[in-house]
Amino acid sequence: MKIYKSKCSQLTGTSYDEVVKKARKEHNEIRRRTKRQPYIRSKYYKKDKVFINLFWDHLNQKNSHDRQRRLKLYSCAIDLMKNTTFDPIPKPNPNKAGEIVYRFAGESFDGELYFVQIKENIRNGRKDFISVFPSR
């Protein structure tokens, strides 16, 4: 599996409040581009849309330490989804039969290895950004 080298570094901050403020600012910049659901276009999926709202629902299920750890990689994950052309590891979703989960590997500018998960609905081809997490 090839690892995408991101041009973005991790979001800085020592508390969850500092990190979430920076991540929300970046999310809101993407959200302002459309009247409907926020999305980014991915090179890997031939410029198809990858919707990013599901990430925030998934993030709210985690504890605050884990949220901060994942949010620090938010800008790196957006960069990876936009620009990577490397093949991910596809797996059928264990929770739903009609979905495939793709796992991309990336490395931030400051050397942190992380993974990004995108799920695709097989019926309609909709892609949603689910999660980003560090390798350790």
Side-chain angles (χ1 to χ4, degrees):
M1 173 183 216
K2 288 190 173 182
I3 297 173
Y4 175 76
K5 304 270 194 238
S6 179
K7 292 157 191 70
C8 298
S9 59
Q10 296 182 48
L11 297 175
T12 57
T14 55
S15 70
Y16 172 71
D17 293 332
E18 292 175 12
V19 177
V20 76
K21 194 178 289 187
K22 293 175 185 177
R24 278 290 179 183
K25 183 177 180 182
E26 188 165 333
H27 176 76
N28 288 337
E29 288 174 9
I30 296 168
R31 197 184 72 192
R32 276 190 216 108
R33 295 184 201 147
T34 181
K35 293 180 182 177
R36 296 180 180 91
Q37 290 188 5
Y39 65 87
I40 56 169
R41 297 226 177 238
S42 175
K43 278 187 184 177
Y44 176 77
Y45 295 112
K46 299 179 180 87
K47 295 294 183 180
D48 276 352
K49 294 177 182 178
V50 177
F51 295 96
I52 59 175
N53 266 349
L54 193 62
F55 169 74
W56 295 98
D57 296 335
H58 176 75
L59 189 70
N60 287 331
Q61 297 171 359
K62 308 295 179 194
N63 63 40
S64 94
H65 176 69
D66 199 24
R67 285 183 202 171
Q68 178 183 350
R69 197 171 62 101
R70 291 169 183 251
L71 278 176
K72 282 187 172 192
L73 294 165
Y74 186 73
S75 60
C76 298
I78 297 294
D79 181 43
L80 181 141
M81 288 186 291
K82 281 182 182 178
N83 299 316
T84 191
T85 55
F86 299 145
D87 290 331
I89 298 173
K91 285 186 188 177
N93 191 347
N95 302 328
K96 263 192 175 175
E99 293 179 348
I100 298 174
V101 176
Y102 296 99
R103 184 177 285 184
F104 294 89
E107 186 178 343
S108 67
F109 187 73
D110 39 342
E112 179 80 25
L113 184 65
Y114 63 94
F115 296 100
V116 172
Q117 288 186 326
I118 297 174
K119 81 172 181 179
E120 178 181 11
N121 187 320
I122 294 173
R123 279 190 173 175
N124 57 16
R126 179 187 166 107
K127 294 158 195 74
D128 290 296
F129 168 45
I130 300 175
S131 181
V132 59
F133 52 91
S135 66
R136 52 179 162 81

